[in-house]
């Protein structure tokens, strides 16, 4: 089809998950990545949007629900809990109220 693939050897991209970690106790000590409230908005918006769709299989729906519940539990233990919980619930509201779901 005439496509050309170009690459640049030796280039590196710095990447990190989150803005650091919080050590929390839930049965044992765990390291939980700390993200911005903005990031939690999009995570929960996307999950809510998927859960509201009819074509998502029950097993995938259960996995998303369970993972989101665990993540919400972790948010309560973070140092900026009010702002990240606000971001998460704003995302849930946005995901469930999107026109694509109706």
């Amino acid at each position: 089809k005439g496509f050309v693939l170009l690459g640049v050897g030796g280039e590196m991209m710095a990447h990190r998950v989150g803005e650091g970690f919080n050590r929390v106790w839930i049965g044992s000590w765990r390291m939980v990545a700390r993200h911005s409230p903005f990031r939690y908005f999009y995570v929960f918006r996307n999950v809510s949007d998927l859960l509201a769709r009819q074509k998502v299989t029950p097993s995938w729906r259960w996995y998303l629900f369970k993972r989101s519940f665990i993540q919400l539990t972790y948010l309560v233990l973070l140092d900026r809990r009010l702002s990240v919980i606000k971001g998460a619930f704003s995302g849930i509201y946005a995901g469930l109220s999107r026109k694509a779901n109706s």
Side-chain angles (χ1 to χ4, degrees):
K1 294 190 176 192
F3 293 109
V4 177
L5 180 62
L6 302 173
V8 178
E11 290 300 314
M12 298 290 288
M13 182 177 91
H15 176 72
R16 64 181 189 176
V17 176
E19 299 173 346
F21 291 90
N22 279 49
R23 190 169 176 233
V24 297
W25 175 263
I26 301 178
S28 64
W29 286 106
R30 300 168 194 249
M31 298 300 285
V32 178
R34 184 176 58 240
H35 301 291
S36 70
F38 190 66
R39 164 99 185 228
Y40 286 113
F41 170 85
Y42 285 107
V43 167
F44 283 93
R45 185 206 61 186
N46 294 345
V47 167
S48 300
D49 184 47
L50 278 173
L51 288 172
R53 293 175 187 257
Q54 293 179 352
K55 293 184 178 182
V56 177
T57 64
S59 60
W60 185 239
R61 189 182 304 274
W62 174 246
Y63 169 78
L64 289 171
F65 180 78
K66 184 172 65 171
R67 190 170 177 342
S68 297
F69 181 78
I70 291 168
Q71 198 167 18
L72 277 172
T73 304
Y74 287 156
L75 294 183
V76 174
L77 303 173
L78 294 180
D79 53 351
R80 299 176 292 176
R81 67 183 57 92
L82 291 179
S83 60
V84 296
I85 289 173
K86 181 180 176 184
F89 279 101
S90 295
I92 291 169
Y93 177 77
L96 294 177
S97 62
R98 290 175 76 159
K99 291 182 181 181
N101 293 331
S102 49

